[in-house]
Amino acid sequence: YNKVNDDLSSDEFDGAVIVQDSQYLEDTAFFLDLVVNSSKPIVLTKDVSISNLLTEGASNLYDSVLVAASDLAANRGTLVVTQKRIASGFYAKRINFDSIDAITSNPQGLIGNIYEGKVQWYYDESDLLTSDLDFTLDEVDSLPDVVVLQNYQGFSSGIISALGESSVEGVVLGSSQSTDSFSKDVKKAIEGLAQSVPVVLSNDQPGSTVSPDDLFSNVTIAGGILDPVKSRILLQVSLAAGYNSTEVKDIFSTVFGG
């Protein structure tokens, strides 16, 4: 993060291309979209390896350089390029680690593509959802310990209570169901945990949201449009930047609909 910020703040570089294992593309793209303070393009793509060099690997890298060099790539936040398609790093979501088509951007859609060596943009640049947030992490060496728990059959209050006795600094509870699906005992345990650390409720289904009206308790935080992966990153970054629980709740509410 610090190197990307430093490099893009100089006149030596007009943009950046980052290659990475597809398993972490979604995480890195969203993180950089939050914390990098630059209008210059930042493009992420899958890493080039022996197994994909002659298939999509070299093509993704070449296309990413084309996108980063595009005159219209600035002021679009972090971008993800795979398989001739351009997605916003804010919305990009991993769907299959082993597939060539590893990243999607549903339901928001793509913002461009690469066709016959030319970059085609579907939309003009727009105001970024993260542009008004201040996440200064210059003095931060590591992010706070935030865990993600997935709601499943048999999910017990004991797990939640154990977290309250641990050193975790925040919790994200992911679910594919309504937040009201938690049992009475689990809800009570969540409310107790939320008195000591921020607890975010998030839906892991594409296109689904958790709004404040969906919460069973106002001491918890609604993840809004963010899935558990992105909710965790935003919570980590917010805490690292020094925001308290009330301010974190405002960030989710005003920017991400939570």
Side-chain angles (χ1 to χ4, degrees):
Y1 149 74
N2 287 324
K3 178 169 177 54
V4 173
N5 253 340
D6 291 343
D7 287 347
L8 293 183
S9 64
S10 73
D11 294 332
E12 184 178 358
F13 301 99
D14 296 318
V17 173
I18 300 173
V19 293
Q20 188 175 20
D21 189 320
S22 61
Q23 181 176 355
Y24 302 107
L25 267 182
E26 175 186 359
D27 311 55
T28 304
F30 185 70
F31 172 75
L32 292 177
D33 202 76
L34 292 176
V35 301
V36 173
N37 183 26
S38 177
S39 61
K40 296 178 181 178
I42 303 173
V43 182
L44 284 87
T45 191
K46 295 171 60 178
D47 60 342
V48 181
S49 63
I50 296 298
S51 62
N52 68 17
L53 178 61
L54 299 180
T55 55
E56 86 276 13
S59 175
N60 284 336
L61 180 57
Y62 177 77
D63 291 340
S64 296
V65 173
L66 286 180
V67 171
S70 170
D71 293 336
L72 301 178
N75 294 304
R76 292 181 182 270
T78 305
L79 304 171
V80 176
V81 173
T82 59
Q83 289 298 290
K84 307 293 182 184
R85 298 177 301 179
I86 310 169
S88 165
F90 181 89
Y91 292 116
K93 182 176 178 62
R94 59 178 179 246
I95 53 176
N96 189 333
F97 297 144
D98 299 321
S99 170
I100 290 178
D101 186 18
I103 299 293
T104 185
S105 189
N106 292 330
Q108 291 80 14
L110 303 172
I111 61 175
N113 71 353
I114 299 94
Y115 181 70
E116 294 186 348
K118 296 182 179 180
V119 179
Q120 299 177 326
W121 299 100
Y122 300 154
Y123 313 102
D124 293 332
E125 62 182 75
S126 59
D127 292 335
L128 302 176
L129 291 176
T130 57
S131 59
D132 294 329
L133 300 177
D134 179 17
F135 293 125
T136 302
L137 305 181
D138 295 342
E139 306 299 324
V140 176
D141 294 325
S142 61
L143 294 177
D145 185 12
V146 173
V147 301
V148 177
L149 291 182
Q150 192 67 28
N151 184 23
Y152 58 88
Q153 188 174 6
F155 192 74
S156 71
S157 59
I159 298 175
I160 304 298
S161 299
L163 285 174
E165 301 172 2
S166 70
S167 60
V168 299
E169 299 171 71
V171 176
V172 175
L173 297 178
S175 177
S176 59
Q177 307 174 47
S178 164
T179 57
D180 202 43
S181 64
F182 293 110
S183 69
K184 183 178 180 180
D185 289 343
V186 169
K187 288 180 181 179
K188 183 177 180 180
I190 291 173
E191 287 182 309
L193 179 63
Q195 301 294 335
S196 56
V197 299
V199 177
V200 179
L201 302 185
S202 173
N203 196 304
D204 59 7
Q205 297 300 299
S208 298
T209 63
V210 176
S211 74
D213 291 337
D214 297 323
L215 299 177
F216 57 81
S217 172
N218 60 12
V219 297
T220 56
I221 300 171
I225 64 174
L226 301 181
D227 62 18
V229 171
K230 292 182 171 64
S231 292
R232 175 177 182 264
I233 294 171
L234 178 61
L235 182 53
Q236 286 180 302
V237 170
S238 298
L239 293 174
Y243 292 109
N244 60 37
S245 294
T246 300
E247 293 168 329
V248 170
K249 191 165 188 172
D250 289 339
I251 289 172
F252 275 88
S253 176
T254 58
V255 182
F256 304 99

